[in-house]
């Protein structure tokens, strides 16, 4: 007889791990027990020595598909004389920590049951099992057991309870397990909906009563059918999903899409589309094998795909002026049933007014979205964490995250060090996330949003409290952005904790290098729209030399005036005029089209502001240089959202167009990457009538070449060959691929983000790394 005590860590709760261990033990003749705790899964295994050894080995090798086993710690102990193997009651410890699974897209087995008329969950909108369904969005605390989730309000019927207790069943200890009789149900709040369909607060009295299966199925199908009619007739429907509400409309109906944009105040920004399967996605877009894997995987993010020639069936205003479309497949049974009922692709965008957090619960959505939605498709399963859809893409054959949320968070990044204290990094202003560090884990939050209003600040604080509770983190050190007016910075400064200020672009570079475990000096290229510099200027076109603790500004883009500050971000034509004034190119013939489009008196006013330094801060921002070129080329004078001009400039580029512009370089400490030669070449081509598509291609090639040239100069001075690339400009496929290719050809090693976005969504992780490193400086 041999006995071992096992402690298994990783994502081992909410993924069918205890049922897996139970059945494995039974198959090997092992006796003992398995238990969930706040520290992970513990078990005692005793039996034949060979069987026990196989049990320990197979716990790691044969774990369930959604489990992430990080460690199996085995210790031989004295046998306790158990006669069978059991699942023991869960145990909580105040400071112990275990990982939590993200929500998981509907598995193939549940999808099959959803469409099987003889199955008791046939067409049940909330079907799930141990391999799929809600996880993070229903968890209030750990260990992960039904009483700790929002499913505690739904007592299981005898049939579900029997499955839950049956080790041979796929729903053995599946905490969200439910059916038409005992589980969550649909509601439809629409002007013509009968009272029995409508949600009101009193519908959520607990515990929920059990219902007749067939009557409930008919009611559910009738609600879905009516919702589909509303969508086909051009209505906008707010749909309650996993982490909050989505706003849906017919993606083929231009009037419906235009109405959604107007009501939501989402002017210009592209909208995501949900289609039933990959074949439907291919009707609109090119889909590579790597992109198909992302579309159909367990996370089911929005995937940015290259559009075919503008599909006639897709409403033009879904993704105006862009070469890519955000596409996702249904990731809940409700989505699948709704798409089937409508029979058309649906726009699915976040349920909010632009720049506000996604609406999460029923009463909140009915109040906040009343001016947007014509109807509300609701359910009564509680949501305990707001959770936007994730967005990703494939660049140079590898996944490149754009927004990290559903399906990814709250799974942590493994740090290349172990922290002796708990750290909070408050993140930046735009595309905010926060990061909590504990031991060798960095918990990067889901996408919070732009920290520009009280609602988003509340979302930040509520989500932070949830992460601190789930992962037993009590911050002892806080990292923050140097910009004194950022809400995230003010929040950090008010915590009364020891503080570490981290320059924005240093955080960008540290974020990339820490993902790759590189702690030494690198060349860091950080290109974005804005970041508060150590000199008080607006940076954004930076070549740094540094490690996790410190950096040197090796070079930067030449500063250009930003007339009107934020007003120039909203109107790229202002940025273009400022660039012309600063470089002495205002009288160039190629500048005439831009000048002719300015409003009466605008040019003289802006020139006066620039020459007198009135509300015209200097900036080295690469993002603003893209804006200037876009305006000069006639792509966009006014931006409806930050970065729109640059995105459309990329979309219009013709890869087949020959030629490239060239930046200048002035040696110094720091060196200056001169944009005047590029701007003059752009104007020459405008004056010569060169197509805008060629101008865009030549400009993008110039940016890539300038990155390689500056890095080669840094390598010549220092011998450093590793280059980290970060910042929102590297969301540009042409810039990223061109820089990576050029650096590799120049015998340098480029590093880009793997699990975090290149934009500001990755900044908090870098802040946390810098804070830890500075604490351990010798």
């Amino acid at each position: 007889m041999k006995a071992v005590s096992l402690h298994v860590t990783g994502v081992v709760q909410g993924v069918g791990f205890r049922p897996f261990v139970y059945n494995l033990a039974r198959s090997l003749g092992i006796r003992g027990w398995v238990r969930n705790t706040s520290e992970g899964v513990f078990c005692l295994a005793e039996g034949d020595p060979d069987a026990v050894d196989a049990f320990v080995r197979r716990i790691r090798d044969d774990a369930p598909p959604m489990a992430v086993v990080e460690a199996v710690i085995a210790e031989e102990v004295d046998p306790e004389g158990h006669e069978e193997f059991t699942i023991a009651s869960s145990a909580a410890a105040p400071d112990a920590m275990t990982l939590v699974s993200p929500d998981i897209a509907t598995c193939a087995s549940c999808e099959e049951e959803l469409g099987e008329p003889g199955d008791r969950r046939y067409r049940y909108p909330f079907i799930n099992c141990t391999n799929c369904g809600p996880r993070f969005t229903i968890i209030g605390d750990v260990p992960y057991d039904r009483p700790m989730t929002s499913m505690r309000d739904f007592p299981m019927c005898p049939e579900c309870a029997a499955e839950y207790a049956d080790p041979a069943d796929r729903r053995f200890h599946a905490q969200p397990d439910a059916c038409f009789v005992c589980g969550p149900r649909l509601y439809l709040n629409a002007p013509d909906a009968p009272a029995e369909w409508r949600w009101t607060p009193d519908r959520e009295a607990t515990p929920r009563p059990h219902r007749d299966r067939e009557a409930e199925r008919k009611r559910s199908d009738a609600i879905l059918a009516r919702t589909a009619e509303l969508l086909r007739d051009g209505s906008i429907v707010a749909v309650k999903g996993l982490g909050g509400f989505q706003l849906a409309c017919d993606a083929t109906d231009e009037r419906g899409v235009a109405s959604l944009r107007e009501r939501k105040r989402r002017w210009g920004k592209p909208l995501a589309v949900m289609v039933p399967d990959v074949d439907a996605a291919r009707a609109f877009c090119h889909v590579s094998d790597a992109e198909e894997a992302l579309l159909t995987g367990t996370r089911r993010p929005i995937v940015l795909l290259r559009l075919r020639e503008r599909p006639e069936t897709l409403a033009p205003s879904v993704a105006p002026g862009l070469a890519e479309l955000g596409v996702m497949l249904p990731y809940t049974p409700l989505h699948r049933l709704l798409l089937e009922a409508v029979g058309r692709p649906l726009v699915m965008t976040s349920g909010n007014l632009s720049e506000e957090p996604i609406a999460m619960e029923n009463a909140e959505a009915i109040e906040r979205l009343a001016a947007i939605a014509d109807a509300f498709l609701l359910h009564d399963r509680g949501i305990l964490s707001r959770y936007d859809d994730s967005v990703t893409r494939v660049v140079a054959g590898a996944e490149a995250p754009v927004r990290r949320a559903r399906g990814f968070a709250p799974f942590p990044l493994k740090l290349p060090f172990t922290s002796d204290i708990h750290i909070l990094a408050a993140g930046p202003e735009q595309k905010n996330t926060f990061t909590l560090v504990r031991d060798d884990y960095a918990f990067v939050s889901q996408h919070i949003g732009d920290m520009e209003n009280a609602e988003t600040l509340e979302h930040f604080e509520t989500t932070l409290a949830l992460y601190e509770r789930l992962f037993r983190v009590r911050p002892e050190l806080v990292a923050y952005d140097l910009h004194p007016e950022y809400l995230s910075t003010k929040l950090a400064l008010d915590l009364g904790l020891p503080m570490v200020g981290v320059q924005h672009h240093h955080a960008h570079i540290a974020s990339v290098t820490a993902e790759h475990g590189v702690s030494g000096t690198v060349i860091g290229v950080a290109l974005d729209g804005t970041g508060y510099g150590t000199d008080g200027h607006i940076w954004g076109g930076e070549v740094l030399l540094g490690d996790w603790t410190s950096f040197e500004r090796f070079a930067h883009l030449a500063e250009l005036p930003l007339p009107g500050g934020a007003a120039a971000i909203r109107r790229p034509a202002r940025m273009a005029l400022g660039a012309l004034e600063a470089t002495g190119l205002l009288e160039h013939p190629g500048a005439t089209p831009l000048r002719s489009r300015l409003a009466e008196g605008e040019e003289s006013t802006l020139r006066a502001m620039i020459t007198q330094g009135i509300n015209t801060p200097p900036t080295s921002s690469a993002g603003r240089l893209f804006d200037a070129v876009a305006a000069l080329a006639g792509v966009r004078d006014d931006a409806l959202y930050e970065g729109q001009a640059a995105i459309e400039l990329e979309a219009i580029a013709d890869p087949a167009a020959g030629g490239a512009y060239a930046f200048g370089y002035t040696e110094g400490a720091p060196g200056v990457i001169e944009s005047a030669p590029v701007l003059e070449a752009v104007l020459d081509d405008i004056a010569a009538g060169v197509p805008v598509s060629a101008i865009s291609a030549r400009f993008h090639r110039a940016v890539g070449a300038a990155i390689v040239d500056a890095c080669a100069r840094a390598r010549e001075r220092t011998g450093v060959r590793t280059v980290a690339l970060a910042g929102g400009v590297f969301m540009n496929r042409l810039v990223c691929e061109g820089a990576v290719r050029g650096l590799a050809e120049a015998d340098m090693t480029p590093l880009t983000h793997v699990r975090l976005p290149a934009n500001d969504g990755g900044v908090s992780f870098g802040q946390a790394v810098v804070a830890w490193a500075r604490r351990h400086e010798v």
Side-chain angles (χ1 to χ4, degrees):
M1 178 74 71
K2 179 179 182 179
V4 294
S5 171
L6 298 175
H7 179 199
V8 187
T9 61
V11 178
V12 289
Q13 296 188 25
V15 291
F17 199 80
R18 284 178 301 170
F20 154 73
V21 171
Y22 176 92
N23 285 305
L24 177 62
R26 295 285 293 265
S27 71
L28 293 170
I30 299 294
R31 297 177 296 280
W33 48 261
V34 61
R35 166 185 287 133
N36 265 354
T37 78
S38 304
E39 298 175 272
V41 169
F42 284 85
C43 67
L44 176 75
E46 53 189 44
D48 177 81
D50 289 341
V52 170
D53 290 344
F55 176 76
V56 174
R57 183 178 64 253
R58 289 178 62 183
I59 275 185
R60 178 186 288 279
D61 295 346
D62 300 344
M66 296 313 302
V68 180
V69 177
E70 294 197 336
V72 179
I73 303 165
E75 179 184 1
E76 192 160 348
V77 296
D78 293 332
E80 296 180 359
H82 292 275
E83 295 184 357
E84 59 181 353
F85 197 91
T86 60
I87 294 181
S89 299
S90 297
D95 296 316
M97 187 273 292
T98 191
L99 303 183
V100 172
S101 169
D103 291 17
I104 307 166
T106 311
C107 70
S109 296
C110 283
E111 286 190 350
E112 184 178 345
E113 291 172 347
L114 185 68
E116 175 53 57
D119 193 274
R120 70 186 187 90
R121 291 187 180 85
Y122 172 55
R123 299 186 58 78
Y124 181 52
F126 308 100
I127 189 172
N128 66 84
C129 69
T130 54
N131 297 320
C132 69
R135 296 293 189 272
F136 175 56
T137 53
I138 64 170
I139 294 175
D141 207 341
V142 291
Y144 176 62
D145 286 311
R146 199 172 180 110
M148 295 288 199
T149 74
S150 59
M151 287 301 294
R152 62 181 174 268
D153 299 331
F154 299 91
M156 284 185 280
C157 67
E159 288 175 287
C160 285
E163 292 172 332
Y164 184 88
D166 180 1
D169 195 280
R170 200 175 80 253
R171 294 184 172 88
F172 182 45
H173 280 240
Q175 306 307 333
D177 188 20
C179 71
F180 278 117
V181 173
C182 63
R185 68 193 314 219
L186 288 179
Y187 296 89
L188 179 62
N189 285 30
D192 60 349
E196 201 275 329
W197 291 4
R198 301 175 69 86
W199 179 88
T200 56
D202 61 284
R203 299 278 195 182
E204 299 196 358
T206 57
R208 305 291 201 279
H210 290 175
R211 301 174 295 270
D212 177 78
R213 178 177 295 111
E214 290 310 314
E216 191 65 20
R217 181 181 287 119
K218 289 178 181 178
R219 174 186 175 278
S220 179
D221 281 349
I223 287 174
L224 286 166
R226 180 58 187 140
T227 305
E229 289 177 3
L230 290 168
L231 287 164
R232 285 194 298 267
D233 290 343
S235 293
I236 297 167
V237 179
V239 180
K240 187 177 183 181
L242 282 175
F245 278 78
Q246 297 164 308
L247 291 165
C249 71
D250 181 352
T252 69
D253 180 0
E254 177 59 24
R255 287 182 302 174
V257 175
S259 178
L260 175 59
R261 286 192 174 281
E262 184 68 27
R263 297 185 202 177
K264 184 176 161 66
R265 303 176 194 166
R266 187 183 175 98
W267 297 290
K269 273 189 179 182
L271 297 165
V273 173
M274 182 177 280
V275 296
D277 51 39
V278 174
D279 287 341
R282 287 197 170 100
F284 298 131
C285 303
H286 302 277
V287 183
S288 68
D289 290 345
E291 290 162 341
E292 180 175 353
L294 291 172
L295 284 169
T296 59
T298 58
R299 295 185 171 111
R300 300 281 174 94
I302 297 168
V303 182
L304 300 183
L305 303 173
R306 290 167 298 129
L307 275 165
R308 297 186 183 276
E309 291 298 321
R310 180 64 62 178
E312 293 181 6
T313 56
L314 189 68
S317 63
V318 168
L322 301 183
E324 293 181 323
L325 177 68
V327 178
M328 59 179 155
L329 302 192
Y331 52 86
T332 71
L334 175 58
H335 287 130
R336 183 162 295 284
L337 292 169
L338 185 60
L339 277 171
E340 179 185 299
V342 177
R344 300 173 189 174
L346 295 176
V347 165
M348 281 282 185
T349 188
S350 53
N352 57 359
L353 281 172
S354 285
E355 313 311 328
E356 289 184 0
I358 185 173
M360 186 171 75
E361 280 295 5
N362 294 347
E364 173 198 1
I366 289 169
E367 178 182 354
R368 285 178 52 198
L369 306 180
I372 305 176
D374 300 302
F376 293 79
L377 181 61
L378 310 119
H379 62 75
D380 55 358
R381 184 177 65 209
I383 296 173
L384 302 185
S385 183
R386 296 181 202 272
Y387 213 33
D388 284 281
D389 289 319
S390 293
V391 183
T392 193
R393 68 200 306 198
V394 174
V395 177
E399 182 178 5
V402 176
R403 183 172 74 195
R404 183 178 181 271
R406 176 185 53 77
F408 294 86
F411 191 74
L413 277 70
K414 202 72 181 292
L415 290 164
F417 55 82
T418 298
S419 179
D420 56 336
I421 62 169
H422 294 182
I423 300 171
L424 164 64
E429 175 103 324
Q430 292 188 322
K431 299 177 178 62
N432 177 272
T433 63
F434 62 78
T435 293
L436 288 171
V437 167
R438 172 184 171 148
D439 305 326
D440 56 350
Y441 292 117
F443 296 93
V444 182
S445 74
Q446 67 264 38
H447 170 79
I448 300 295
D450 294 348
M451 296 279 284
E452 296 175 344
N453 52 57
E455 293 84 0
T456 308
L457 179 61
E458 181 184 2
H459 176 24
F460 178 103
E461 293 174 327
T462 302
T463 307
L464 175 60
L466 175 65
Y467 273 66
E468 289 177 345
R469 181 170 68 252
L470 288 178
F471 304 116
R472 309 304 196 247
V473 177
R474 297 184 182 88
E476 303 161 79
L477 178 68
V478 61
Y480 63 92
D481 192 280
L482 296 181
H483 198 299
E485 293 305 314
Y486 282 0
L487 273 179
S488 57
T489 296
K490 292 178 178 179
L491 181 147
L493 297 178
D494 286 343
L495 292 177
L497 296 172
M499 298 174 291
V500 176
V502 182
Q503 199 278 325
H504 186 86
H505 301 97
H506 185 206
H508 264 306
I509 300 308
S511 184
V512 175
T513 55
E515 268 210 77
H516 290 270
V518 176
S519 60
T521 299
V522 301
I523 304 166
V525 182
L527 306 181
D528 62 6
T530 185
Y532 193 82
T534 54
D535 58 1
H537 287 198
I538 301 171
W539 292 7
E542 311 307 311
V543 181
L544 310 179
L545 284 168
D547 54 21
W548 292 346
T549 59
S550 61
F551 72 93
E552 167 196 348
R553 196 183 191 196
F554 176 80
H556 61 84
L557 274 173
E559 289 188 331
L560 295 172
L562 191 67
I569 298 174
R570 294 188 296 270
R571 181 159 166 75
R574 282 183 172 231
M575 192 67 220
L577 189 77
L580 296 178
E581 179 72 22
T583 54
L585 294 169
L586 192 63
E587 300 302 325
H588 191 292
T592 302
L594 170 77
R595 297 175 73 182
S596 69
R597 296 194 305 269
L598 297 176
E600 185 177 351
E602 185 176 11
E603 179 177 326
S604 59
T605 300
L606 293 176
R607 293 185 69 184
M609 290 172 64
I610 294 165
T611 55
Q612 298 174 42
I614 300 171
N615 191 24
T616 303
T619 179
S620 59
S621 166
R624 301 290 78 81
L625 179 61
F626 272 78
D627 285 352
V629 172
L632 288 172
V635 173
R636 178 160 291 278
D637 291 338
D638 293 281
L640 300 174
Y641 58 92
E642 203 272 337
Q644 182 181 15
I647 292 169
E648 293 180 357
L649 183 66
E650 177 192 3
I652 206 170
D654 178 7
Y661 307 135
F663 285 82
Y665 192 91
T666 301
E667 295 284 355
V672 178
I673 302 166
E674 303 288 357
S675 55
V678 165
L679 292 170
E680 185 171 13
V682 168
L683 295 174
D684 288 343
D685 277 355
I686 292 170
V690 172
V692 176
S693 56
I695 292 172
S696 174
R698 293 169 182 176
F699 174 68
H700 280 88
R701 293 187 191 114
V703 173
I707 292 169
V708 175
D709 176 69
C711 291
R713 293 172 187 270
R715 177 186 62 185
E716 184 178 349
R717 199 190 91 182
T718 64
V720 175
R721 291 179 175 272
T722 302
V723 182
L725 306 174
V729 169
F730 287 103
M731 304 305 295
N732 182 310
R733 189 187 298 272
L734 298 177
V735 170
C736 186
E737 291 180 342
V740 167
R741 182 172 57 251
L743 290 166
E745 290 171 353
D747 197 26
M748 288 181 273
T749 303
L751 304 179
T752 59
H753 274 296
V754 177
R755 296 176 60 191
L756 295 173
N759 59 36
D760 282 6
V763 164
S764 67
F765 178 62
Q767 290 175 341
V769 170
V770 172
W772 177 86
R774 287 188 184 164
R775 174 179 162 79
H776 291 83
E777 269 186 295
V778 177

